[in-house]
Amino acid sequence: MIRSTHLPLLITLATFVLAYALCASAYPAMLSLRVVANLLTDNAFLGIAAVGMTFVILSGGIDLSIGSVIAFTGVFLAVILRDTSLHPLAAFALVLLLTTGFGTVMGATIHYLEMPPFIVTLAGMFLARGAAYVLSTESVPITHEFYDTLQGLYWKIDGARFRLIGGLMVLTFIVGILVAHRTRFGQNVYALGGGEQAAKLMGVPVARTTIGIYAVSGGLAGLSGIVFSLYTSAGYSLATVGVELEAIAAVVIGGTLLTGGYGFVGGTLFGILIMGLIQTYIVFDGTLSSWWTKIVIGGLLFAFILLQKGLTWAAKKRAAQARMRTATGSAALS
Amino acid sequence: MKDTLTPDTPVLHARGISKFFPGTIALDDVELRLMPGEVHALLGENGAGKSTLIKCLTGAYRRDAGTLLLDGREIDPVSTADSQRLGIGTVYQEVNLLPNLTVAENLFLGRQPTRAGFIMRRQMNAEARAVLAGYGLSLDPAEPLAAYSVAIQQVIAIARAVEMSGKVLILDEPTASLDHDEVQLLFDVVRQVKARGLAVVFITHFLDQVFAISDRATVLRNGRVVGECLLAEMTQRDVVTMMLGRHLEARTKARDTGAAGKTLVEIADLGKRGLIAPFSLNIREGEVVGLAGLLGSGRTETANLIFGAVQADQGRVMLRGQEIAIKTPRDAVAHRFALCPEDRKLDGIVGDLSVRDNIILALQARQGWMRPIPRAKVEEIAQTYVRALDIRLASLDMPIRLLSGGNQQKALLARWLATNPDLLILDEPTRGIDVGAHAEIVALIEQLRADGMALLVASSELEELVAYSTRVLVLRDRQQVRELVGDQITPDNIINAIAIEEVA
C-alpha cells in the first residue's frame, strides 16, 4: 500500500529509473551488467558510510567526521600491515573497535554535554584527520597476500564482476534496513528525529540511543575505510576529503528529511546509485569535465530540498483538512 | 461498578506534599486523594501550584516533603518513565506523541511485540487496531500520526497512557486546542476510562468542562489546598469564589462616561476556529473597553486577533467606517494600532538592547529601516516618554533587562505611545509589577482615555478593570458571554458573568 510518507522514496526511485533511462538512451552500453557491477564496486565505501549517515540524519543529527575516519582507517591499516606482522583480519577488528569507540565518545559528548552534533563531529573530523597525518603523511601502499585474496573474490555473470566490496555494501544496506525498520533501536532513532522532548516523555532511552547512533556511524565509517583500502590498496591521509558531504547528499537525494524523523535507509542506496550513475555517464561521454558531476549533484540536491519543503507544506495542509474532517465526523464516532 | 461518590480507599493518595523553589513556597502541605472510577478536577488560577503538584506526582520534580501512596503502598517516582511503570500516565496539552511515527508505533513505542529482536509489525498493527477500537476509533494504525486531527491524537495519547500505566490518568489541559465537538469526543473517551476504574485527574481552565465531566475537585490557591469538594454540591460561583479567594463586595465609583467620541473600530464576527468564537465589538475614541475572564477564557486571543498576531479566519474589521484587512501585526501598526503583549519578557522587550532602542523600536519599524530616525530625534522621544511615564533608570543606554518589572512595562508602553496609536491594546498591563507602579499605570490609562485614545485592556485584576473601564466584555470558554456598561461594572457582576450557569 502506498502511503504519503513513502512519497520521497518513490520520487527517488523514479529519478533513478528516469536517469538510467536517459543514460541508456544516450549510451546503450550503460545497460550492461558490467556497468551495474562497477557502479556497486566504485561506490561501495561511500554507500557503507552513507548507511551510518542515514541513521544519524534520521535522528536529527549530523556526522561530519566520517571522511576523516575513513582516511584514518586506511592509513592505520596500511601502517599496521607494513610495520607489524598482524593478520589483516585482526587489524580489521582492531580498527573497527577504534572507530566504533570514537563514535561512542562523540555520541556521549553530544548527549551528556548537550553539545550540537555539528560542533562535536567537526572536532572529530579534525581529530581523525590529524591522527591520520601523525601516522603517515605519505601514501602507504598495502601489499599483503590476504588483500590479494579478498580483491580476487568476485562473482562473475556474463563477463561482469560483482566484487566482494560491492556485496558488502548491499549486505550493509540490508542489515541497515532491518535495523531501522524492524528493531526497537531503529524505532527509537525515528522517535528522536520526531522530537527529543516527546521521545523522552514516551520513555525512549535517549542517552543509549544517541550514543548508539554515533557508534554505528563511526563503526560503519571504519568498515567503509576497510573497503576503501581494499579498493585502493593503499592508505593515504589526504584521501576521502569531503566524503561526509557526499554521504549527506546521498542521504538527502535518497529522500531522508535533513531535519530528521522521516526517510528510509533503502532510499540512500538509490541516492548513492543516482550519484554513481551521473559519474558513469560523464566517463562514458568522455568530453565533459568531471566537475560536471558536482554541478549535477548540486542541482539534484537543490531540487530534492525544494521537494522536501513542498511535501512538508502539503502534509501540513492535509493535516488541516484532516482536522476539518474529524470535526464533522466526530458526531458519528461518539 | 462502585458508587463513585462514596469514597473508599484512594488509588493515589498524596499527603503533606511540599515543594520549595528559591524564594517561594510552590506547594505547602498539599493533600490530594484520587478515587478509582472518578474524575478529579484540579482547579486554581495560574501560579496556584497545579502543574507543580502534577510534576511532583509524575516524578518530573522531586518533592521536598510528603508521601505518595499508590494502592496503599508508598512510591517514590524519580522520572516520568518511572511513574509510568508504576501506573501513573500523563497526557499533556501539547500532544506528546511523535508525528512522524505511525499510530501503532506511537502506541507501542518501547514495548513493541518482538520475536528474536525484530518487531512484528503485523501483530503490532492488529493489536493497535483492537486497542483503539476499544476507544471508539476505527482508523488505520499504519498511517502516520500526523494524518489525524489533534483530537484523535489526544485520544491516542490517552490510549497509550492507559495501556501502559492503567491506574491513574492525568490530563493536563487536554482540551486547550480542541473545539466543541472534539471536546465531546475526548469526554466520551474519558468516561470509558473512568468506567474501567481508573482515577482521572483533569486540569483545565474551562469551568463548564470541569462541571461536565468531573465528580470531585480540589482547589488550590497560592500553593495551598483551599478545599476538596464534590462538584454535584457546588455551583460555578462557589468554585470561582474559592479560586479567587475572596468574596468581593460590590463597590461602585463615580464614572466619567460622557467623554466617548466617534466610533473608531468596528469588529464584526471576527473569529478563528478552535481559538476563539466569532465576536463583534465597537470601540469609540476616548473609551476603555475591558476584557474580563478567567485565564484561558480568550482574553489574550481576542487581543492577538485584533492586532493580527493571530490571523482570523472569519469576520471583518472596519476602521472609521472603512473596511481594512489586518493579516499581520505590520498591517495593524500601519493602521495605528498598538499592542502591549501579556508576557513582556517573551514577546515584548529585547533584553540586551538599551532602553532608548527599545522605546524607539516600534516607531522605527513603522517608518521602515531605510529611513532611520535621526539620533537627536530618538533622544528627544525617549527623554519625553521617560519623563512623562516616570521611568526610573540610570541612563537611557542601560540594557532594558536591568530595569524592574514595572519600569520595563512602562518602557514598553512608551514604545507604543511613541507611535501615537489610535487604538492601544494592553494585555495584562499590570501583571507582575509592584503596587506603586500598578497605580501609575492605571492612572496613565485614565489619562490616555481622557486624551481621546481608544483602549482595549485585557486583565485578570477585577478591581483594576472596574477602575478604568467604560465598558467590560466578559469572556468565558473563548466566547463573549456578557457586556457590562456603566454602573453594572462591579467585581461581583463580573464574577457572576464568568460563573453563570449554562442555561439549557
Side-chain angles (χ1 to χ4, degrees), chain A residues 77 81 85-94 144-147 150:
Chain A
L77 287 174
L81 295 179
S85 58
L86 210 62
H87 189 270
L89 276 180
F92 290 170
L94 191 61
H144 196 284
E145 54 207 30
F146 185 69
Y147 260 68
L150 290 180

Side-chain angles (χ1 to χ4, degrees), chain B residues 1-2 4 7-14 32-42 54 57-58 69-72 83 86-91 135 158 161-163 165-172 189-203 213-216 218 228:
Chain B
M1 210 178 89
K2 359 179 141 65
T4 53
D8 34 7
T9 48
V11 181
L12 183 73
H13 192 175
L32 184 69
R33 300 183 304 148
L34 304 177
M35 302 298 165
E38 236 182 58
V39 178
H40 193 121
L42 197 54
I54 292 308
L57 297 186
T58 60
L69 297 172
L70 186 68
D71 284 336
S83 69
L86 288 166
I88 305 171
T90 312
V91 173
Y135 293 89
I158 291 176
V162 171
E163 297 302 315
S165 303
K167 285 179 184 165
V168 177
L169 174 66
I170 299 172
L171 302 171
D172 191 355
V189 170
V190 172
R191 285 189 193 101
Q192 284 176 40
V193 171
K194 182 176 139 173
R196 285 170 62 171
L198 271 81
V200 181
V201 179
F202 184 48
I203 301 174
I213 192 88
S214 311
D215 306 301
R216 192 184 292 269
T218 294
E228 189 202 84

Side-chain angles (χ1 to χ4, degrees), chain B residues 247-273:
Chain B
H247 292 275
L248 292 159
E249 61 272 24
R251 191 174 48 159
T252 50
K253 72 176 193 86
R255 183 180 309 276
D256 172 21
T257 47
K262 303 193 294 287
T263 301
L264 179 75
V265 181
E266 280 174 76
I267 293 161
D269 298 322
L270 200 67
K272 182 172 171 65
R273 255 185 77 83

Side-chain angles (χ1 to χ4, degrees), chain B residues 54 99 106 156 173 182 191 319 403 420 430 446:
Chain B
I54 292 308
N106 268 296
I156 294 168
E173 298 205 43
E182 293 172 330
R191 285 189 193 101
L319 179 68
L403 296 188
N420 195 15
T430 56
E446 291 266 281

